[in-house]
């Protein structure tokens, strides 16, 4: 992520045909944040979701482990009420039961321990707070799944090679999905944590998904 930070957003635009902006807006809408409430955005990257949460009037804490990503995010802050922090999503150092919404987009599957990451989100959320996860999914239709996997395995690394001279930096996406339980597993993990009103929103035929759970 340090290496690809300068062109991270451009590659995301191309490989998703600009649709990731729509999916992220949907995530923020589902968080139902209100003015004055606190939001934590984990694996914040270049800060697009943090900015969208701040635009809803939230006081936002945004955390990422990549200093180059955070540098770009801070440059784009433009007066928004956002605190950008370098840190570990598995151990945020944030107080328990503090945030009205905790979001993570395209980060949960990259954590060293998926369950620990969700537990940390649950820990820092207030009772009644919303846990919001956007990430790659696993489409149930086997034909769609075949073409989706082929796209991630063969086409996406070409974007990395073309724009960053670093195909392996994007080949990892396909690899990261092998052990990631995707939308079904995230919903089950939220249930085990005791979340209520659990929702799964499948996007683009289930190739992407948003999971919502209320602490």
């Amino acid at each position: 992520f340090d290496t690809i930070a300068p062109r991270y957003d451009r590659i995301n635009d191309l490989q998703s045909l600009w649709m990731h902006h729509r999916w992220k807006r949907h995530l923020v809408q589902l968080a139902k944040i209100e003015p004055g409430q606190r939001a934590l955005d984990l694996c914040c990257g270049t800060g697009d979701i943090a900015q969208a949460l701040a635009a809803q009037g939230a006081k936002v804490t945004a955390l990422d482990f990549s200093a180059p990503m955070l540098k770009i995010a801070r440059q784009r802050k433009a007066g928004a009420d956002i605190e950008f922090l370098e840190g570990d999503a598995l151990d945020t150092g944030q107080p328990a039961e503090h945030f009205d919404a905790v979001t993570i987009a395209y980060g949960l599957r990259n954590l060293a321990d998926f369950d620990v990451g969700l537990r940390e989100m649950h820990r820092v959320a207030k009772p009644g707070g919303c846990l919001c996860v956007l990430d790659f999914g696993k489409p149930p239709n086997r034909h769609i799944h075949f073409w989706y996997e082929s796209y991630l395995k063969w086409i996406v690394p070409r974007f990395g090679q073309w724009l960053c001279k670093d195909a392996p930096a994007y080949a990892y996406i396909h690899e990261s999905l092998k052990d990631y339980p995707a939308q079904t597993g995230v919903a089950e993990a939220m249930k085990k944590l005791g979340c209520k009103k659990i929702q799964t929103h499948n996007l683009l035929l289930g190739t992407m998904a948003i999971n919502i759970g209320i602490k």
Side-chain angles (χ1 to χ4, degrees):
F1 287 98
D2 290 354
T3 303
I4 64 177
R7 298 188 178 183
Y8 178 74
D9 292 314
R10 186 179 179 189
I11 294 178
N12 284 348
D13 287 345
L14 291 172
Q15 71 179 8
S16 73
L17 301 178
W18 280 265
M19 287 187 288
H20 73 102
H21 297 290
R22 183 190 307 171
W23 302 330
K24 290 172 180 175
R25 286 196 298 269
H26 194 189
L27 178 75
V28 171
Q29 290 169 357
L30 290 170
K32 296 181 178 179
I33 200 76
E34 296 181 2
Q37 290 186 326
R38 294 189 182 95
L40 174 64
D41 183 38
L42 299 176
C43 303
C44 68
T46 56
D48 46 0
I49 289 176
Q51 289 179 350
L53 290 165
Q56 298 297 312
K59 298 177 180 178
V60 182
T61 301
L63 183 144
D64 201 284
F65 65 83
S66 171
M69 288 283 202
L70 289 171
K71 181 179 179 180
I72 294 171
R74 291 187 180 107
Q75 290 170 346
R76 296 176 175 175
K77 184 178 176 181
D81 191 1
I82 308 172
E83 179 185 23
F84 287 104
L85 300 174
E86 187 174 345
D88 186 353
L90 298 178
D91 184 11
T92 64
Q94 299 300 307
E97 301 189 348
H98 186 69
F99 295 97
D100 299 282
V102 185
T103 61
I104 186 168
Y106 301 109
L108 190 61
R109 77 184 190 288
N110 293 325
L111 300 182
D113 192 313
F114 149 83
D115 286 307
V116 172
L118 268 182
R119 286 202 299 271
E120 180 67 359
M121 293 176 69
H122 186 267
R123 182 187 72 81
V124 300
K126 291 180 178 179
C130 186
L131 278 63
C132 312
V133 178
L134 166 62
D135 217 316
F136 287 87
K138 291 185 178 178
N141 182 288
R142 62 187 180 90
H143 299 293
I144 294 170
H145 192 273
F146 170 79
W147 289 109
Y148 168 62
E149 281 223 332
S150 298
Y151 177 72
L152 292 178
K153 187 174 182 179
W154 302 110
I155 305 301
V156 168
R158 300 297 184 271
F159 286 122
Q161 181 63 37
W162 174 36
L163 292 171
C164 294
K165 308 302 181 185
D166 191 352
Y170 278 81
Y172 91 93
I173 294 176
H174 179 259
E175 293 298 317
S176 70
L177 281 167
K178 289 183 178 179
D179 297 320
Y180 179 61
Q183 57 265 62
T184 303
V186 173
E188 184 60 31
M190 285 183 171
K191 183 178 179 181
K192 289 179 180 177
L193 285 170
C195 290
K196 306 299 182 184
K197 299 181 181 179
I198 296 170
Q199 304 171 30
T200 300
H201 298 259
N202 284 312
L203 309 169
L204 200 64
L205 303 174
T207 60
M208 304 289 155
I210 298 173
N211 289 94
I212 299 293
I214 305 299
K215 181 173 176 178

